[in-house]
Amino acid sequence: MSDRSTPEDRSEARSHVVSLLRRMGAVYSFFAVTLLSVVVLFVLLTLSLSGLYWLKDTATRVDPGPAALFASNGTPIDNGRRTRYQLNWFDYAATSELGEAYVAEVLDDFWELAGLGFAYQSWVGFSEPLFEGKRLSVVSDPMGLPMRAGVNPPVDSSLPTVHVYTFGGSTTFGYAVSDAHTWPSHLSAILNERAQAAGLGIRVEVSNYGRGYFDTSQETPRDVHWFTDEVTEAFWDAQHASFTVAMTHLDGAALDRLPFKRLAASVRRRLGVDNRQVQEKPPPPPDAEYADHLTHRFRMNRRIAATVLESQGTATLFFIQPDANYNYPTELFRREVPERWWEERRLRELFHERMRSEEGVIRLTSLFDEYGVAPDRKAIVDDVHYSPAFSRFLAERVAAEIDLVSLASSRDPLPPTGVSRAAAIAPERAAR
């Protein structure tokens, strides 16, 4: 077949193609320029809002000012530096003796700590990262292990130091209270007062190795595994690489820091709209078989830890702590507990029933009743953690079980095994 089109036809076709391509190019250019403009505008607005909120946060941190920081029912006022958990559960009435400004500074520090997530640690899995705030600090011990800063007497070269190490979960770490008001800090003050009164000639130093979400399975080994650096990086990325994961693992703290989200929250507050939702962890099944499993795991972990520590020449005491979910009066909480909370309480009841006959542990589950359960005497500052005053009360009971005379005359424990975990803490990530 022959091409019967004339040169004029071909020229006209080319003109149509060129015209179409030009129109397509114009449309593409329009959308490209529009998209670029929107992106640039969004970046500029984000940077502007970030700068404004940075100035606001700095001013708030230095001087909270005369404005109300807590509502009349104990709820924190959302100033953009409060986690969802604090807004849902924290009760100023349990800490009011310290004053609003002081308590607000504590919540500021925990808001910042929540945004960092956890640091990877070999064997124990994770820990709070190194952190230095106004009322909350996480420091590194000589082996590179992070621990909650506490209040201990100054080092006195004329006195031998007796070391007391405390392990436990977030109630030992002291969530929602300052370094000075954790029960290990109170324990240090009480033990040193007793040692001085008895003329024992020793200085007692209490170290707080409490961890959020801590379990007895994490207590014994302290060596560093191979590939710790690689796993440390992967652990960090798993928490911070995506907004979805950050929301799940950081209680939404990472997303709550976004300038536009803070702006939206400010608008909602001014309009009187509160669309916060309680984040609830699904409880384990409250059945006898699962309670048996928890009890057996606790018993075996305790025996393993006791054997290891005995071989190192270290005396040990095991306590079953006061447990808000087990027997704290729910009417003392600032808000009504959700249905899932009652399912968790039933599981705790099953566990404690099985532990009543356990030998070698000191049960402190009755301390809420001994402390006094009254609206003006709250032992719990949110839905789990101890108030500053109750921490002191708990420390007094723990101190009563410690034989200071024996500790003063005991031999030094064997030197630690393993190597420093400084690489596993990755403190430089706190600056990201």
Side-chain angles (χ1 to χ4, degrees):
M1 295 182 60
S2 60
D3 184 2
R4 297 183 178 181
S5 61
T6 65
E8 291 79 8
D9 293 335
R10 290 194 292 273
S11 176
E12 183 178 357
R14 283 194 297 270
S15 296
H16 283 303
V17 172
V18 171
S19 178
L20 178 61
L21 290 175
R22 286 176 177 171
R23 288 197 297 270
M24 292 175 62
V27 172
Y28 174 81
S29 298
F30 171 78
F31 283 107
V33 171
T34 302
L35 178 61
L36 178 61
S37 300
V38 170
V39 171
V40 171
L41 180 61
F42 178 81
V43 171
L44 291 176
L45 288 175
T46 300
L47 292 175
S48 299
L49 284 173
S50 297
L52 290 174
Y53 279 119
W54 180 83
L55 292 174
K56 177 179 180 294
D57 293 341
T58 302
T60 300
R61 185 172 181 78
V62 173
D63 182 9
L69 297 170
F70 299 90
S72 58
N73 68 346
T75 303
I77 300 298
D78 188 358
N79 61 354
R81 296 173 61 83
R82 298 290 175 261
T83 67
R84 296 176 186 175
Y85 179 68
Q86 291 170 349
L87 293 171
N88 285 322
W89 286 107
F90 186 85
D91 188 354
Y92 173 71
T95 64
S96 58
E97 71 275 10
L98 301 177
E100 286 197 3
Y102 186 100
V103 177
E105 289 171 351
V106 173
L107 296 186
D108 284 347
D109 282 350
F110 274 98
W111 177 82
E112 290 189 20
L113 184 69
L116 295 177
F118 289 99
Y120 172 75
Q121 286 291 329
S122 58
W123 186 266
V124 295
F126 59 89
S127 68
E128 285 76 10
L130 297 183
F131 179 81
E132 184 175 355
K134 190 169 185 178
R135 303 295 180 184
L136 157 68
S137 293
V138 181
V139 298
S140 179
D141 77 355
M143 285 292 293
L145 286 163
M147 64 179 185
R148 177 76 187 268
V151 179
N152 285 294
V155 175
D156 186 345
S157 58
S158 66
L159 296 177
T161 296
V162 173
H163 292 276
V164 175
Y165 304 96
T166 62
F167 297 86
S170 58
T171 52
T172 297
F173 181 90
Y175 271 67
V177 297
S178 70
D179 294 338
H181 295 103
T182 65
W183 72 260
S185 286
H186 285 304
L187 180 65
S188 175
I190 294 168
L191 292 179
N192 279 285
E193 290 168 4
R194 284 177 48 196
Q196 185 175 10
L200 296 179
I202 60 172
R203 168 184 175 271
V204 182
E205 181 173 302
V206 179
S207 299
N208 183 350
Y209 288 96
R211 302 276 190 268
Y213 302 98
F214 187 82
D215 183 81
T216 53
S217 301
Q218 300 166 274
E219 285 184 345
T220 46
R222 56 180 309 180
D223 211 344
V224 180
H225 303 162
W226 286 103
F227 304 113
T228 289
D229 290 343
E230 291 81 355
V231 178
T232 298
E233 189 71 28
F235 191 88
W236 177 269
D237 290 342
Q239 295 179 94
H240 299 84
S242 73
F243 288 151
T244 301
V245 175
M247 182 185 296
T248 301
H249 291 276
L250 306 183
D251 188 33
L255 287 179
D256 290 340
R257 291 168 180 248
L258 293 176
F260 277 101
K261 186 163 186 181
R262 294 184 65 176
L263 179 62
S266 298
V267 173
R268 288 198 305 269
R269 288 195 300 272
R270 292 184 181 278
L271 295 176
V273 178
D274 186 358
N275 64 350
R276 287 184 279 109
Q277 296 179 351
V278 180
Q279 289 194 336
E280 303 169 7
K281 293 184 298 183
D287 54 42
E289 183 178 353
Y290 191 73
D292 289 339
H293 163 72
L294 293 178
T295 306
H296 176 71
R297 185 179 69 180
F298 177 87
R299 285 170 174 162
M300 296 308 298
N301 289 337
R302 183 182 68 81
R303 292 169 188 173
I304 292 171
T307 301
V308 172
L309 293 170
E310 182 180 357
S311 71
Q312 298 294 308
T314 302
T316 59
L317 292 174
F318 292 90
F319 296 88
I320 296 181
Q321 68 180 54
D323 183 353
N325 203 263
Y326 168 52
N327 60 356
Y328 189 68
T330 57
E331 61 269 19
L332 295 182
F333 290 134
R334 177 170 60 78
R335 50 164 293 160
E336 184 178 355
V337 297
E339 182 178 349
R340 290 184 175 184
W341 193 92
W342 293 107
E343 298 177 15
E344 177 70 19
R345 168 161 283 197
R346 177 54 185 157
L347 177 62
R348 302 294 179 94
E349 290 172 347
L350 293 173
F351 170 79
H352 286 288
E353 286 174 5
R354 286 153 175 73
M355 291 304 300
R356 284 197 178 96
S357 60
E358 180 74 3
E359 298 181 355
V361 296
I362 301 166
R363 294 177 56 85
L364 300 179
T365 52
S366 64
L367 286 197
F368 291 137
D369 289 334
E370 296 178 27
Y371 181 71
V373 288
D376 59 346
R377 190 169 171 79
K378 296 187 176 184
I380 300 298
V381 75
D382 38 44
D383 67 329
V384 177
H385 305 105
Y386 306 141
S387 69
F390 184 77
S391 294
R392 171 79 188 191
F393 184 77
L394 171 60
E396 291 170 349
R397 292 301 304 271
V398 172
E401 302 292 340
I402 296 177
D403 186 348
L404 274 181
V405 176
S406 296
L407 285 181
S409 60
S410 63
R411 64 182 177 87
D412 292 335
L414 296 175
T417 60
V419 297
S420 173
R421 297 189 183 190
I425 301 174
E428 71 279 359
R429 287 175 174 77
R432 286 189 176 184

